[in-house]
Amino acid sequence: MADTAADYYEKLLEAPIVIRPHPYVDAPFMQWENEAELIPTVTYPEILNILRSRKKKQSLDIHGLSPFILDKIPKNYWHLLVQLYNYSFSEGYILNKFKEVRMILLAKKNAICIPDQTRPISLLDSFLKVQEKLFHCRFLKILKDRGILPDNQSGFRAGFRLQTRVLLLIDQISSYMSNSSPTTTVFVDFKSAFDQLWFEGCLGKLARIGIPTAYVNWIRAWLNDRKAVIEVKGKRSRWIKIHRGCPQGSSFSPTLFITYHSDMADYLPGAMSFFFADDLAAVLAGQIGIRFTNQCIDLEYRLQNFLDQLELYSILSVQPVNYSKTQAMFSARAVSYPNPLPQVHCGDHSLEWITAFKYLGYWLSTKLGWGSIIRKTTLIVHIICDYYMEQLLKSCYCGTYELAYTGFLIICEQLWR
């Protein structure tokens, strides 16, 4: 099983075939004022603060180390790592042993599944994870100083909440509907988003958006020459080389991913885009002040233009769209909707229309009502109550009244939630 998974992920993580010349890597470089800025040096107290703040997990890396074990190392030994980390930052070099990864697979749905229905989690070298934390803090400061990350991206960012992103999306749809405009919300899903990161394109784009050379060099060393072994039920596969994708399990990977796609909204004209990590929801509306029929025709034109631009960005960034999970929802104040809804295409695939969508854990319907949420929540409550009532009756039948009373309290608690 481990070797079967290795065959699948070795093919998935191959270097992509990209048509050259490409604007990300072959366009002339721009001269930025901070190009020569160096990565700030690491201090001994800074490492101790990171060690204190980390969770003492016991999951082992490929070398048999874990955060729990690192916590047992005498603190004065970390003086040696201070020198190593500073040399790594100044020279853009990382030990190859640090880039060896133990990879485990988590099933997305069913416990027994084929490799393409799993999510690879990389258990990185414990010493490298400390250095990633150090670099991540410095990289975030560069992003903040240059204002690179857009405000409509809420994923993996301090001070940006998931609930706020959902409320802003609902408010935007409501605003268009209040103007009597037909509205379409497109929910875009990218295929294996974190596993598709194109190394060369990412490094080229970072240099062109104003990331200093020293930072780009360290990220290059962090991405290149990685290899992994896949472990399934204690058995390990052969070593596989990784030529694309950022490791899921790294604290730095999400920030690098959203930085790489920080300009996506610029390629999607005529739409209000809402991002949460690799989730994209785009809202489009028909022209205001004309007949409803003409508004729908105008909206169809805008929607097709949006999908064409999305396809262009997908090809340019080597980030394929998952067409089977990309769906659209039509909303309007009108009593009747166009029937049938317009047939629009993203690439060679027809866009699927839906009446409700679960966005970031919250159900949205075409009329933005609460009925769908109430029905689904009621169903969950009934399922929970039926389960605990069954356990309660079994306890009463067996004469374990104390257990029956505990079951009653659990039911009350679930209903209160």
Side-chain angles (χ1 to χ4, degrees), residues 177 292 296 330-341 355 366-367:
M177 292 176 64
F292 181 73
C296 292
F330 185 89
S331 304
R333 293 177 62 185
V335 176
S336 60
Y337 289 177
N339 188 18
L341 289 167
T355 58
T366 55
K367 294 294 186 181

Side-chain angles (χ1 to χ4, degrees), residues 15 27 30 50 52 101 124 132 219 249 259 292 305 318 322 356 361 364 379 395:
M30 298 181 63
I50 288 178
R52 279 193 291 265
V101 174
L124 306 174
E132 284 180 359
I219 295 173
T259 304
F292 181 73
N305 184 42
V318 197
N322 189 348
L364 304 178
L379 177 62
S395 301

Side-chain angles (χ1 to χ4, degrees), residues 186-346:
V186 184
F187 301 98
V188 181
D189 183 79
F190 292 102
K191 187 177 181 179
S192 302
F194 283 84
D195 296 327
Q196 298 293 325
L197 183 73
W198 175 31
F199 290 174
E200 196 173 0
C202 178
L203 296 168
K205 180 183 275 191
L206 291 177
R208 285 166 174 79
I209 63 177
I211 303 299
T213 303
Y215 287 78
V216 176
N217 289 339
W218 191 88
I219 295 173
R220 178 181 288 107
W222 181 72
L223 288 174
N224 291 332
D225 301 321
R226 287 192 290 123
K227 60 181 183 178
V229 61
I230 298 178
E231 185 173 312
V232 178
K233 293 185 177 180
K235 295 184 178 181
R236 293 183 176 180
S237 70
R238 69 181 190 280
W239 286 98
I240 61 173
K241 293 184 178 181
I242 301 175
H243 298 289
R244 72 189 304 179
C246 41
Q248 297 191 45
S250 165
S251 59
F252 178 58
S253 291
T255 300
L256 181 63
F257 179 85
I258 64 177
T259 304
Y260 177 55
H261 293 292
S262 59
D263 62 342
M264 189 189 302
D266 299 335
Y267 288 82
L268 307 176
M272 292 294 296
S273 301
F274 298 84
F275 299 94
F276 192 88
D278 59 333
D279 288 318
L280 165 62
V283 184
L284 303 94
Q287 182 181 346
I288 299 175
I290 58 177
R291 293 179 57 190
F292 181 73
T293 303
N294 295 333
Q295 285 181 322
C296 292
I297 295 173
D298 178 67
L299 176 58
E300 179 181 357
Y301 169 78
R302 297 186 185 205
L303 178 58
Q304 187 60 64
N305 184 42
F306 167 82
L307 294 175
D308 291 341
Q309 291 298 115
L310 176 65
E311 182 74 7
L312 171 62
Y313 179 82
S314 170
I315 296 171
L316 188 66
S317 62
V318 197
Q319 187 71 61
V321 176
N322 189 348
Y323 298 104
S324 63
K325 293 185 178 180
T326 297
Q327 300 169 318
M329 186 174 69
F330 185 89
S331 304
R333 293 177 62 185
V335 176
S336 60
Y337 289 177
N339 188 18
L341 289 167
Q343 295 295 314
V344 291
H345 296 81
C346 187

Side-chain angles (χ1 to χ4, degrees), residues 106-176:
L106 300 181
K108 293 181 179 179
K109 291 184 178 179
N110 301 322
I112 301 176
C113 58
I114 57 179
D116 67 347
Q117 296 177 2
T118 61
R119 179 176 289 107
I121 302 298
S122 299
L123 300 177
L124 306 174
D125 182 89
S126 298
F127 290 108
L128 180 60
K129 292 186 75 172
V130 175
Q131 188 175 11
E132 284 180 359
K133 281 277 190 180
L134 295 167
F135 182 81
H136 190 207
C137 296
R138 289 154 173 77
F139 189 73
L140 286 175
K141 185 177 184 304
I142 293 291
L143 297 179
K144 182 179 179 181
D145 292 344
R146 301 201 64 83
I148 292 175
L149 298 181
D151 290 337
N152 58 358
Q153 172 61 266
S154 297
F156 303 103
R157 299 180 65 186
F160 289 78
R161 294 178 58 84
L162 177 149
Q163 292 83 357
T164 303
R165 184 56 49 200
V166 175
L167 290 174
L168 289 173
L169 173 64
I170 295 174
D171 183 67
Q172 187 63 53
I173 300 172
S174 300
S175 176
Y176 283 145

